[in-house]
Amino acid sequence: MVILDVRMVDCDGLAALETIRDRYADLPVLMISGNDNPTYIARAFALGANGFLSKRAPGEQIVAAVRKVAAGEKAWAAEDMRRLTGTFHAPARRRRRGLADPPRGRSAAAARLRSHE
């Protein structure tokens, strides 16, 4: 299992996640971040991370997430999934109003998000 920070000194953790997925598709990866940035969470999900945690999470939550991911389970907070589902549905609302088309690839990611709710 890998615990991977989103932002590192000489490396982008999300780019590292993408490389890990290309080389070791089944390796469990738990992403962590000091930023509560929905874009980081969405990218981690879309790139195949097994979970995402804030560095400010309580210790018992961190330990539980590490155990879940190490056991091959997912460790996505319900609140993050609700926020992301809303993010992925926003382009559809704009499209209904005739404002914009959603970027490509989002519908597959949104379907994966809905399956985790």
Side-chain angles (χ1 to χ4, degrees):
M1 136 171 224
V2 174
I3 299 174
L4 189 60
D5 198 338
V6 171
R7 297 184 55 114
M8 297 178 280
V9 175
D10 294 325
C11 179
D12 174 344
L14 293 165
L17 173 59
E18 189 169 18
T19 300
I20 289 168
R21 282 291 164 249
D22 287 343
R23 295 183 184 168
Y24 309 99
D26 296 328
L27 182 65
V29 178
L30 177 63
M31 298 297 299
I32 61 170
S33 179
N35 299 305
D36 185 28
N37 183 330
T39 301
Y40 292 160
I41 299 166
R43 285 192 59 211
F45 185 87
L47 291 169
N50 298 83
F52 189 98
L53 273 179
S54 167
K55 290 180 183 179
R56 292 181 289 266
E60 56 274 0
Q61 185 179 356
I62 293 170
V63 170
V66 168
R67 287 184 175 149
K68 284 179 85 171
V69 171
E73 299 174 33
K74 303 292 182 184
W76 292 95
E79 177 60 27
D80 287 339
M81 292 295 96
R82 280 190 292 277
R83 285 175 46 206
L84 291 181
T85 301
T87 299
F88 285 118
H89 289 292
R93 288 191 294 270
R94 286 194 306 269
R95 187 174 59 247
R96 283 193 299 270
R97 292 189 308 238
L99 299 176
D101 288 326
R104 292 177 176 237
R106 284 216 170 164
S107 60
R112 284 180 37 201
L113 280 172
R114 285 190 296 275
S115 71
H116 287 0
E117 291 180 336

